[in-house]
Amino acid sequence: METSMASGNPFFDDLQNKGEAIDHPQNEDIMDCESLNIPSQAAVKPNGTVSSSVRELLECPVCCNSMYPPILQCLNGHTLCSGCKPKVDNRCPTCRHELGNIRCLALEKLAASLELPCKYQSFGCNGIYPYYSKPKHEYQCSYRPYGCPYAGSECTVIGDIPHLVAHLKDDHKVDMHNGCTFNHRYVKSNPHEVENATWMLTVFSCFGQYFCLHFEAFHIGLAPVYIAFLRFMGDNNEAKNYSYSLEVGGNGRKLIWQGVPRSIRDSHRKVRDSFDGLIIQRNMALFFSGGDRKELKLRVTGRIWKEQ
């Protein structure tokens, strides 16, 4: 196969004394679950409903996210989350009166009494969780959707694995292959044009799972390099059940990498920047390519296996 690369809570034992702020989880990479100091998993209950009017009371009028202590209010009783206070220049977004540091303890107590469904209910999670335990559960919910693993663009598509596999095939035109071994030849006519471009070449189906093979040119400091690595389309706890090897060589020399595929929960950039893959310096890659060293011709072989 020859591929020409293209750039491309118990919080309320004493409300008066506990004032820690809990930011609504915007990004899985920056939210520290342990800092929430709440149970990791509430008991799953068969049902539970909260009226829309109560949910609206707990919605910040600025960011529209759920509010967590300390919930602030102005002198007229309008509320907002503490994280949005700097965004409104210390003025109530509803009545424009100056904000102080008045906490709405009644609303905080109301929140502590609520149980809500996981926000990933539409993806299959049927659990009902206490209001203050819900963010931590959602951070690690096994039903939370995955982001598109395609590395050549800022794709915002999310979904379960079958949806993403179809998306990669139909929208990104990614090659799909069955089998646990591969043999790819990567060609670039001008290997000196290394511009931090990314290419995702193939999705492999084996052992009833899907794996994404990445090959990329980027820089480590000022040194241009190539990296090849594998990502697992699933969670990290499943990815650890598999291993893979990559091999590249030429002119009697060979480089071999063996590792564990990283989950697509880890971003492509995070994996790349941790150098968790087969790294080939450009000069070595040209040496492997043979000829006049003016054209990149790398053959990368590899295999995937399941650990016993």
Side-chain angles (χ1 to χ4, degrees), residues 11 13-20 103 105:
F11 284 94
D13 293 334
D14 186 351
L15 278 171
Q16 298 295 339
N17 295 325
K18 289 189 178 182
E20 63 263 42
R103 286 178 63 177
L105 298 183

Side-chain angles (χ1 to χ4, degrees), residues 128-266:
I128 304 295
Y129 302 90
Y131 187 86
Y132 291 120
S133 298
K134 185 170 170 282
K136 186 172 184 179
H137 160 75
E138 290 173 345
Y139 172 79
Q140 58 193 14
C141 178
S142 60
Y143 290 94
R144 69 194 190 277
Y146 299 89
C148 174
Y150 189 74
S153 65
E154 297 298 326
C155 184
T156 59
V157 170
I158 63 172
D160 59 17
I161 299 304
H163 174 77
L164 289 181
V165 169
H167 164 69
L168 289 170
K169 180 180 179 181
D170 297 337
D171 299 329
H172 293 299
K173 310 302 180 185
V174 172
D175 290 333
M176 302 285 172
H177 290 270
N178 293 319
C180 300
T181 61
F182 44 89
N183 185 337
H184 285 288
R185 192 172 184 226
Y186 303 113
V187 177
K188 189 171 177 64
S189 59
N190 186 352
H192 294 279
E193 295 178 357
V194 180
E195 299 287 348
N196 286 315
T198 59
W199 303 273
M200 176 178 172
L201 299 181
T202 310
V203 171
F204 293 94
S205 173
C206 59
F207 302 110
Q209 307 288 349
Y210 291 93
F211 301 82
C212 302
L213 176 64
H214 295 263
F215 187 83
E216 175 178 353
F218 74 115
H219 288 84
I220 298 179
L222 298 177
V225 299
Y226 300 96
I227 184 172
F229 57 88
L230 202 70
R231 287 203 291 167
F232 175 75
M233 296 189 71
D235 284 333
N236 272 315
N237 60 339
E238 297 178 89
K240 294 175 182 177
N241 296 324
Y242 301 91
S243 295
Y244 74 101
S245 64
L246 296 173
E247 182 178 307
V248 63
N251 288 328
R253 276 77 170 178
K254 183 185 296 184
L255 291 176
I256 300 175
W257 165 266
Q258 181 173 319
V260 176
R262 297 277 286 273
S263 166
I264 59 172
R265 297 281 189 204
D266 292 335

Side-chain angles (χ1 to χ4, degrees), residues 89-137:
D89 298 324
N90 203 38
R91 293 281 177 179
C92 173
T94 303
C95 67
R96 305 307 298 166
H97 276 75
E98 185 174 357
L99 290 169
N101 292 305
I102 306 172
R103 286 178 63 177
C104 186
L105 298 183
L107 193 55
E108 292 179 3
K109 288 182 178 180
L110 173 64
S113 70
L114 300 180
E115 293 181 330
L116 300 172
C118 173
K119 70 178 180 180
Y120 301 124
Q121 188 176 49
S122 62
F123 289 93
C125 183
N126 295 318
I128 304 295
Y129 302 90
Y131 187 86
Y132 291 120
S133 298
K134 185 170 170 282
K136 186 172 184 179
H137 160 75

